[in-house]
Amino acid sequence: MKNLVITGGNSGYFEYLVPFITSIRENDKLDNTVIVVCDNTIKGKWNKPGSFKKGGSFSLEQLEFFDKNKVEVVVFSKLLKENNFSTEIFDNIKTGHWAYPAKYIYCYLIAKNYRDRVEKVAFFDADIYIQKDISKIFGLINGDQIYLNHEFSKIGDSSYMTDWIKFSKEHLMIKSLDIINIQDEFNICTGFFAGKIDVFLRDINFAVVISSNPILAFHSDQPLMNILVYVYNFPYIELGEELVHMAHIERKDTRFENNTFIVKEKIPTAIHYHGPLREWVKSIIVEDYDADNNQPSLLEKIKFRIKKSLP
């Protein structure tokens, strides 16, 4: 059976979707991967309700690219309507990012539609670049738990986590959680999660139910998964070094040779380039992209500022 890749985005995110989809197609040696893009837009801030866009956003030219690369595009509002899911819930949700809390919802609904047609499912953020056969990642997904990966940053350093804690501190259930004890744990990155189809549906459905609870206020996917893992001991399996999150990795530990990113002398199947290396990576993998390849990483900038402020 085939494997399913789900990602999300909209016309404004198309510049990331192009290299993501192209890199999968170039590294799908068995032609065994189904790709579905959920066209969705939810904007908002923690102190203001989210704004939910109904209808699609992609242009005809962009849709032609998807069609050429055998990508199914699902419009989020239509997906919700087809499943009798009221969009009114989004009018009252405070969200710090357009993707939240929609990610778990559309992942569940899309995977459900493919239940009898695929063996395994993986959600990838679109700012991920596949540079080896993607079957390597799916080949690792064999357990009966959800597969996750962590970043190289700590929970206490994550703005998604700290902003959520500030926003949620008045909620009854949040007050009882000892957040301080997990500040030094590695931040679970929900830019990737995967599992065998039945496991994926079970665990993502659970996440949808939890995230929609107004008492818990888990309206952001990273806080939800971090609390589930570190406070409630939610069972998961670490994917490992085949997918590397490049945020907080210093430039000196990464090099680009023969169209391949080498990270700490290893060649991962996929790199998640969100973070300080984003512009550098985009300049290499996006055609005609103009960027300063020598731009220092965020960590390098911080170290420079500290040295400059010392007496």
Side-chain angles (χ1 to χ4, degrees):
M1 295 181 74
K2 290 184 177 289
N3 298 312
L4 173 63
V5 167
I6 301 173
T7 192
N10 50 47
S11 59
Y13 215 67
F14 188 70
E15 63 177 316
Y16 299 104
L17 289 164
V18 169
F20 171 68
I21 291 167
T22 303
S23 68
I24 291 178
R25 288 298 176 226
E26 291 177 347
N27 292 282
D28 184 18
K29 306 304 182 185
L30 300 176
D31 192 24
N32 200 41
T33 306
V34 177
I35 305 175
V36 178
V37 173
C38 184
D39 184 354
N40 70 104
T41 306
I42 299 178
K43 295 182 179 180
K45 297 181 179 180
W46 288 109
N47 60 346
K48 293 182 180 179
S51 173
F52 176 72
K53 175 180 173 59
K54 295 179 174 63
S57 68
F58 294 116
S59 68
L60 289 177
E61 184 179 2
Q62 291 170 340
L63 290 172
E64 287 177 2
F65 167 81
F66 294 129
D67 185 60
K68 180 181 177 181
N69 286 275
K70 298 184 292 185
V71 175
E72 179 185 358
V73 176
V74 175
V75 177
F76 189 41
S77 59
K78 293 181 180 178
L79 183 67
L80 294 175
K81 186 176 181 180
E82 291 169 359
N83 287 274
N84 297 315
F85 194 109
S86 174
T87 58
E88 292 180 4
I89 186 173
F90 295 104
D91 295 333
N92 298 310
I93 287 179
K94 299 178 178 65
T95 175
H97 194 276
W98 63 264
Y100 306 148
K103 183 184 291 185
Y104 290 135
I105 298 171
Y106 67 68
C107 277
Y108 175 78
L109 295 176
I110 290 171
K112 182 170 65 73
N113 289 340
Y114 277 88
R115 185 169 199 157
D116 299 324
R117 292 181 279 168
V118 300
E119 181 182 5
K120 301 171 183 178
V121 187
F123 172 85
F124 290 88
D125 273 353
D127 50 358
I128 289 177
Y129 182 65
I130 309 297
Q131 58 179 13
K132 293 197 301 188
D133 192 347
I134 196 171
S135 65
K136 176 71 174 179
I137 289 179
F138 281 108
L140 297 172
I141 301 169
N142 294 305
D144 291 326
Q145 297 171 6
I146 202 76
Y147 283 74
L148 299 168
N149 246 20
H150 64 71
E151 298 180 6
F152 292 95
S153 60
K154 301 297 180 66
I155 286 177
D157 297 326
S158 167
S159 62
Y160 288 125
M161 286 296 295
T162 53
D163 287 350
W164 168 76
I165 290 170
K166 292 176 184 176
F167 168 74
S168 305
K169 65 182 179 180
E170 298 302 323
H171 287 258
L172 176 64
M173 298 300 290
I174 302 306
K175 288 181 179 179
S176 66
L177 299 178
D178 194 352
I179 305 295
I180 301 301
N181 286 341
I182 66 170
Q183 295 287 305
D184 290 330
E185 300 285 356
F186 281 119
N187 187 43
I188 297 293
C189 176
T190 47
F192 168 86
F193 46 88
K196 293 186 293 186
I197 181 65
D198 287 340
V199 174
F200 187 91
L201 287 170
R202 178 196 69 195
D203 288 0
I204 299 308
N205 185 39
F206 178 68
V208 170
V209 172
I210 295 296
S211 64
S212 62
N213 188 321
I215 297 176
L216 292 173
F218 282 136
H219 294 318
S220 183
D221 58 343
Q222 273 197 29
L224 167 60
M225 195 57 71
N226 277 284
I227 295 299
L228 289 178
V229 166
Y230 292 119
V231 177
Y232 293 115
N233 298 314
F234 185 75
Y236 77 100
I237 300 173
E238 185 80 23
L239 178 71
E241 296 178 339
E242 288 304 319
L243 193 158
V244 174
H245 200 298
M246 296 181 73
H248 308 288
I249 294 180
E250 294 190 67
R251 181 72 58 82
K252 65 180 179 61
D253 293 327
T254 304
R255 67 180 191 276
F256 185 75
E257 294 180 3
N258 300 320
N259 296 318
T260 303
F261 286 93
I262 302 170
V263 182
K264 295 184 177 180
E265 301 307 316
K266 295 181 180 180
I267 302 176
T269 298
I271 57 167
H272 191 169
Y273 59 92
H274 171 74
L277 290 179
R278 171 184 282 182
E279 298 303 308
W280 180 51
V281 174
K282 279 172 58 180
S283 69
I284 294 171
I285 66 179
V286 179
E287 186 177 358
D288 297 329
Y289 184 81
D290 184 19
D292 178 11
N293 288 6
N294 297 313
Q295 182 180 358
S297 70
L298 178 61
L299 187 58
E300 290 167 344
K301 289 179 180 179
I302 293 173
K303 287 182 177 179
F304 174 78
R305 287 182 181 179
I306 292 175
K307 288 181 181 179
K308 191 175 180 180
S309 64
L310 293 174

